[in-house]
Amino acid sequence: MGAWQPLPDDLPPEVRHFVEQLRLLKDRTGLSLVALGARTAYSKSSWHRYLNATQPPPRQAVAALCRIAGLDGTDAERCGVRWELAVQAWPRPVTVPAQRVGSGPDGSWGEEYEDDPTLPWWDAPPEESGRGRSGRLLLSAVLLLLLTVLVGVVGTVVFG
């Protein structure tokens, strides 16, 4: 695999296989990490983390790499399945918070990261808060309609 750093020995087989496949795809493109970052929504340092198995890539990053490498159809679907298997098996790092609030089920202190820690903000699901965006849009449309009717009535009374 060229000049790649060796992967950690304790990686689950699903993760190892997936990262090796990602490395092959990246090599297939002929792009540097800088160039790959420029052609995707993910930085050089993000690709470095993904390709060295220090952080799982988001599905969108894998899809972008598949597209750039010329994978489509069944091959791209296989890559998506490998991603799903790898993300499920990916080791979760434990970080120690500044203050100990509680312990995990195994007695260790810390917290795990979310299932998809690198999901870009534009792909993040909307936050659950009351009506949400569509409710605000509807309310704005109704208020604009009422304002238009009010201006029409006042215009008719004053100038009519």
Side-chain angles (χ1 to χ4, degrees), residues 71-151:
L71 288 186
D72 57 3
T74 306
D75 291 332
E77 287 178 32
R78 280 191 196 119
C79 196
V81 170
R82 284 188 198 109
W83 174 83
E84 289 177 18
L85 294 171
V87 167
Q88 290 173 4
W90 211 285
R92 304 286 196 231
V94 176
T95 58
V96 179
Q99 293 181 337
R100 292 184 173 187
V101 178
S103 66
D106 61 352
S108 64
W109 293 91
E111 53 193 50
E112 295 181 352
Y113 60 70
E114 299 172 10
D115 285 338
D116 195 356
T118 56
L119 185 66
W121 63 268
W122 57 84
D123 288 329
E127 293 182 20
E128 300 294 325
S129 61
R131 268 186 245 142
R133 188 174 188 178
S134 61
R136 287 186 303 231
L137 184 61
L138 181 61
L139 179 62
S140 299
V142 169
L143 289 175
L144 185 58
L145 179 64
L146 288 175
L147 182 63
T148 304
V149 169
L150 181 64
V151 167

Side-chain angles (χ1 to χ4, degrees), residues 28-61:
R28 179 176 170 176
T29 68
L31 298 173
S32 68
L33 291 180
V34 172
L36 184 60
R39 300 222 11 219
T40 65
Y42 304 92
S43 67
K44 170 192 168 190
S45 58
S46 292
W47 281 111
H48 185 269
R49 288 190 303 272
Y50 307 152
L51 294 166
N52 286 300
T54 57
Q55 183 179 4
R59 180 185 289 272
Q60 295 84 358

